[in-house]
Amino acid sequence: MIKFLELDVINQQYRSELIEACAKVIDSGWYIAGQELKAFEEEFTDYCGSKHCIGVANGLDALILTLRAWKELGKLEEGDEVIVPANTYIASILAITENRLKAVLVEPNPQTYNICPDSIRSAITDKTKVIVAVHLYGRLAPMPEIMSIAKEYDLLVLEDSAQAHGAHIDGKKAGNWGHASGFSFYPGKNLGALGDAGAITTNDDSLANTVRALGNYGSHKKYENIYQGLNSRLDEMQAAILRVKLRHLSLETARRQEIAIRYAQSIDNPLILQPIAKGASISELQSHVFHLYVVRCGERDVLQEYLAKAGIQTLIHYPIPPHKQQAYKTWNDDSYPATEKIHSEALSLPISPVMSDMDVKNVIDACNSFRL
Ligand SMILES: *Cc1c(COP(=O)(O)O)cnc(C)c1O
């Protein structure tokens, strides 16, 4: 059986380093806001190329706290409009509605699955204040175009980089394009902790200060509270684990890209639509970090069943679009045809950095022999 993602096998590669890192934390007697967090924040800042990194409890909190900080700084108020792709994981949208801001959903480009600059332009109104740019599946949203729209209309840009650690355009990485960026280190993400964790990156000093306080009861100084904050912190144990995992991230990313390049070059079946154009250059492929390798098929469920019979586990990201969820009942009758089509056709092939070349070949052969 070729598993979709083997987290146990991935983490076993670093077992002794991880145990050593955890032992150091246990023995230190200091478990929240200590040296490990400080070191991880510096190392992740270096990795992304941004000025600040603030560790928080998870990726959703990273997005929530950033929008909340912009409210505290007077840049946003309740009811302001936030443009966000309809085709995203629901967390991108929950962060907006949690702050009582109005989410304005826009359609993606069906080739890249990411938000489309033309649809952003047509969604802008007098109340628009923010664009949330989600780097879905590990490929950057079209950031040069998004940043120029933001400049033209004086909008803030929040990157949702939860799936895109290290993805870049012309060498400039996720987390360093917008006014702020939220990362998740959920175990299955490209940089995964052994529990929940997240971070915000930004080049803006006052935003960095504000989110740091908001995640710590609204306080910079113990027992002095400036904001009605919350408790959202990246603890020392997860920070120590992430420092180990970050050292190996580039190699894991390179392996994901190697697998993706083989899929892109060798899966050749008119029933299966590739996420990458056939003639894509190696450098284009290497700007994408392939959190997921999502193909499309009109008969997606039949393909999934066929691959399962061939011993290949696949997953669907995601089966129900946010606007069709019960959580957003008032949107259920709205129509986003490109988003709905992607949701009905998407299938994620295994792209685990610990897959063998033989596993990769078996996935390719099974895809190529699929017939209706
Ligand atoms: C995983 C994810 C999040 C949320 O991260 P958590 O750490 O699970 O809270 C947000 N946005 C996207 C696109 C994600 O994939």
Side-chain angles (χ1 to χ4, degrees):
M1 178 77 180
I2 301 173
K3 293 264 202 53
F4 181 73
L5 181 70
E6 293 163 289
L7 283 179
D8 50 349
V9 181
I10 291 174
N11 288 320
Q12 265 157 27
Q13 304 176 97
Y14 319 124
R15 194 168 191 279
S16 58
E17 281 175 84
L18 289 167
I19 288 175
E20 197 184 320
C22 292
K24 202 170 135 202
V25 174
I26 294 167
D27 295 341
S28 75
W30 193 277
Y31 308 114
I32 300 275
Q35 290 308 313
E36 294 294 333
L37 175 63
K38 191 160 181 291
F40 173 69
E41 287 177 341
E42 278 166 16
E43 288 157 9
F44 197 62
T45 295
D46 285 346
Y47 180 79
C48 296
S50 64
K51 187 167 174 196
H52 301 281
C53 168
I54 303 98
V56 295
N58 55 64
L60 175 58
D61 278 4
L63 301 172
I64 290 177
L65 287 168
T66 302
L67 293 170
R68 171 77 193 277
W70 281 332
K71 284 166 77 183
E72 297 291 352
L73 290 166
K75 296 190 172 183
L76 281 183
E77 54 187 68
E78 279 188 19
D80 283 345
E81 292 180 5
V82 179
I83 292 176
V84 62
N87 181 54
T88 183
Y89 180 58
I90 198 166
S92 321
I93 298 172
L94 290 171
I96 300 168
T97 53
E98 172 66 24
N99 274 291
R100 297 177 193 278
L101 299 160
K102 186 175 173 222
V104 175
L105 275 51
V106 304
E107 289 270 56
N109 169 342
Q111 263 80 55
T112 64
Y113 308 127
N114 270 327
I115 200 165
C116 163
D118 290 338
S119 7
I120 295 178
R121 280 184 186 279
S122 37
I124 291 175
T125 72
D126 300 348
K127 302 219 74 181
T128 307
K129 290 284 161 55
V130 183
I131 302 168
V132 173
V134 183
H135 306 314
L136 200 65
Y137 307 149
R139 184 195 330 234
L140 281 208
M143 294 313 293
E145 293 85 347
I146 291 172
M147 295 316 294
S148 82
I149 295 172
K151 200 159 179 202
E152 189 179 333
Y153 292 92
D154 193 22
L155 307 175
L156 294 162
V157 175
L158 170 56
E159 296 171 70
D160 181 341
S161 303
Q163 303 188 357
H165 318 74
H168 65 90
I169 293 177
D170 296 334
K172 186 165 169 171
K173 285 184 180 155
N176 199 19
W177 278 93
H179 300 94
S181 175
F183 284 89
S184 165
F185 308 119
Y186 178 80
K189 299 286 156 92
N190 287 27
L191 177 59
L194 304 187
D196 273 313
I200 294 150
T201 60
T202 181
N203 296 320
D204 176 338
D205 300 344
S206 62
L207 178 70
N209 269 330
T210 310
V211 285
R212 200 176 278 291
L214 281 170
N216 188 35
Y217 301 110
S219 161
H220 284 296
K221 198 169 161 202
K222 211 166 186 180
Y223 306 125
E224 286 180 23
N225 304 79
I226 321 171
Y227 310 109
Q228 297 172 20
L230 38 107
N231 175 354
S232 181
R233 299 182 295 219
L234 202 178
D235 64 68
E236 287 289 285
M237 198 66 105
Q238 296 304 334
I241 287 164
L242 284 167
R243 292 184 67 199
V244 172
K245 298 285 300 276
L246 182 58
R247 292 202 283 273
H248 300 284
L249 179 59
S250 297
L251 267 182
E252 284 199 3
T253 302
R255 178 63 183 153
R256 284 176 185 272
Q257 289 165 335
E258 200 172 68
I259 297 167
I261 289 167
R262 289 195 55 200
Y263 285 165
Q265 292 176 341
S266 308
I267 296 176
D268 189 8
N269 183 334
L271 298 169
I272 300 176
L273 214 68
Q274 291 268 24
I276 291 287
K278 255 238 123 47
S281 65
I282 298 294
S283 72
E284 186 182 337
L285 286 154
Q286 284 172 342
S287 63
H288 187 321
V289 296
F290 294 100
H291 173 57
L292 298 170
Y293 194 92
V294 180
V295 297
R296 284 165 62 186
C297 175
E299 297 291 337
R300 187 257 318 276
D301 298 343
V302 184
L303 174 61
Q304 183 171 39
E305 182 71 34
Y306 178 83
L307 293 175
K309 286 216 179 91
I312 297 161
Q313 185 190 20
T314 56
L315 296 178
I316 296 171
H317 299 91
Y318 299 89
I320 305 170
H323 71 279
K324 294 291 183 195
Q325 297 285 354
Q326 213 183 319
Y328 290 117
K329 269 200 203 71
T330 56
W331 300 342
N332 286 178
D333 293 330
D334 297 352
S335 160
Y336 297 94
T339 296
E340 285 158 33
K341 194 166 161 62
I342 292 171
H343 279 75
S344 69
E345 296 183 346
L347 190 68
S348 304
L349 301 182
I351 189 155
S352 172
V354 294
M355 278 172 85
S356 68
D357 289 344
M358 186 53 101
D359 291 341
V360 176
K361 182 176 183 305
N362 287 338
V363 173
I364 293 167
D365 290 347
C367 287
N368 287 341
S369 62
F370 175 64
R371 299 286 179 276
L372 279 174

